Amino acid sequence: MWLFFHKLASPKYFYDLAGKFIPWLGTLCLIAFLSGLYQGLFVAPPDYQQGESYRILFVHVPSAWMSMFVYTFMAVLSAINLIWNIKLADVMVRSSAALGASFTFLTLVTGSLWGKPMWGAWWVWDARLTSELILLFLYLGYIALVSAIEDPRSAARAGGVLILVGAVNIPIIHYSVEWWSTLHQGPTLTKIGKPSVHVSMLIPWLLMFAGFQLYYFTVVLIRARTEVLERERRSAWVQELFGK
């Protein structure tokens, strides 16, 4: 196991291994998305309270989950980079930031589209919505910070500290509906765990969760390979790869 992680820290080994995983992850992502969207839009019955409007939650809830997952993943990798100075950890953090921001933006947009018919307003300063908006600012702040610092090591350290400090916002987002009396409905994942969601809705929901997760790993590996090539462009293996 330690030998595997030691080899994974090698840019060339990571580049080759990621290239083998990407086609499989992309294919599984496409299957999960198509199956989940078909079942969510055409097979799952209307909700007894929300009617057809609830179908946007097949996109909203997985994107909300991914917005927190990606940030947590970035926080773990940032800690690894700060402690052991592993460059590939910083590569994955940088490659994840734009994706995490996109998931968060999608969560806020789909939440507004769902909130208008349910609450009668596009936006309210609800605890969950406000903390999710802060998460978007954290992603954008990280991107702006590392882009403004020319030295890669200094940028990685400053960005890593920002990510770790901002990680306190993740449990606030998750537990906000339990800690405070808010307009937002309770945790959906808990409802699945009980389970209070009918299997005809649960299956497309899980497929969409898988699709979002696979999409993230497919795209982040593509972005990470590009970042590795950029950083290692003067190394012998990259020169050999492009026949120079």
Side-chain angles (χ1 to χ4, degrees), residues 172-228:
I172 293 176
I173 296 173
H174 184 72
Y175 292 108
S176 58
V177 292
E178 298 179 10
W179 290 346
W180 297 288
S181 177
T182 67
L183 194 58
H184 203 283
Q185 68 185 59
T188 307
L189 287 176
T190 304
K191 291 177 67 179
I192 292 176
K194 283 188 176 178
S196 60
V197 178
H198 191 269
V199 68
S200 60
M201 299 177 180
L202 181 61
I203 290 174
W205 219 333
L206 294 178
L207 286 169
M208 291 300 290
F209 270 100
F212 270 78
Q213 197 81 47
L214 289 164
Y215 172 81
Y216 164 69
F217 281 114
T218 303
V219 178
V220 79
L221 288 181
I222 293 173
R223 290 172 59 86
R225 289 183 95 215
T226 305
E227 181 77 17
V228 165

Side-chain angles (χ1 to χ4, degrees), residues 23-233:
W24 290 100
L25 291 171
T27 302
L28 291 173
C29 170
L30 187 62
I31 293 172
F33 266 139
L34 292 177
S35 304
L37 286 173
Y38 173 75
Q39 294 203 35
L41 295 177
F42 301 108
V43 177
D47 183 76
Y48 78 104
Q49 284 184 322
Q50 303 178 29
E52 301 289 350
S53 301
Y54 91 100
R55 295 188 192 279
I56 199 169
L57 298 182
F58 288 118
V59 173
H60 174 72
V61 178
S63 65
W65 162 255
M66 288 306 300
S67 71
M68 292 186 287
F69 171 82
V70 173
Y71 196 92
T72 304
F73 190 49
M74 288 172 63
V76 172
L77 290 172
S78 295
I80 291 173
N81 185 51
L82 287 170
I83 296 170
W84 290 291
N85 193 28
I86 297 177
K87 288 189 293 184
L88 275 176
D90 180 51
V91 167
M92 289 295 290
V93 173
R94 287 210 184 199
S95 303
S96 297
L99 285 167
S102 300
F103 287 130
T104 310
F105 181 74
L106 180 62
T107 301
L108 293 170
V109 170
T110 53
S112 294
L113 294 175
W114 177 82
K116 179 61 176 175
M118 295 299 109
W119 299 341
W122 297 106
W123 176 267
V124 292
W125 291 102
D126 174 272
R128 165 83 45 106
L129 272 66
T130 304
S131 52
E132 187 73 16
L133 181 62
I134 292 172
L135 182 63
L136 178 61
F137 292 151
L138 286 168
Y139 276 122
L140 297 179
Y142 169 82
I143 294 170
L145 179 62
V146 298
S147 299
I149 302 175
E150 292 187 5
D151 179 57
R153 287 192 175 185
S154 299
R157 285 195 293 270
V161 171
L162 174 63
I163 290 294
L164 288 173
V165 171
V168 71
N169 190 48
I170 298 301
I172 293 176
I173 296 173
H174 184 72
Y175 292 108
S176 58
V177 292
E178 298 179 10
W179 290 346
W180 297 288
S181 177
T182 67
L183 194 58
H184 203 283
Q185 68 185 59
T188 307
L189 287 176
T190 304
K191 291 177 67 179
I192 292 176
K194 283 188 176 178
S196 60
V197 178
H198 191 269
V199 68
S200 60
M201 299 177 180
L202 181 61
I203 290 174
W205 219 333
L206 294 178
L207 286 169
M208 291 300 290
F209 270 100
F212 270 78
Q213 197 81 47
L214 289 164
Y215 172 81
Y216 164 69
F217 281 114
T218 303
V219 178
V220 79
L221 288 181
I222 293 173
R223 290 172 59 86
R225 289 183 95 215
T226 305
E227 181 77 17
V228 165
L229 285 181
E230 175 65 24
R231 295 188 183 202
E232 299 288 317
R233 61 185 181 277

